[in-house]
Amino acid sequence: ISSSDLWGVIQNLHLEGQISKEQVSTIIKEVGAYGSGKIHYSEFIAATMDAKNLLTDQRVHELFYRL
């Protein structure tokens, strides 16, 4: 997931007033441990599980591929 991918989802959900592009870039940098400027599937899983322990593996998988 790149910053532009995540920003596109935020725009589609009309959440631009709740988070800025700069915040999105910061999230990508902080979660993306490989330094690629993107969040890889394993990084997404780790970040999601830290934030939401109640999500099932299938739901996380669906969310990732929806982006």
Side-chain angles (χ1 to χ4, degrees), residues 5-24:
D5 294 333
L6 184 53
W7 185 248
V9 171
I10 289 167
Q11 288 178 310
N12 288 339
L13 296 174
H14 306 289
L15 299 174
E16 302 98 318
Q18 296 180 27
I19 188 167
S20 69
K21 281 186 178 183
E22 292 78 22
Q23 290 170 311
V24 169

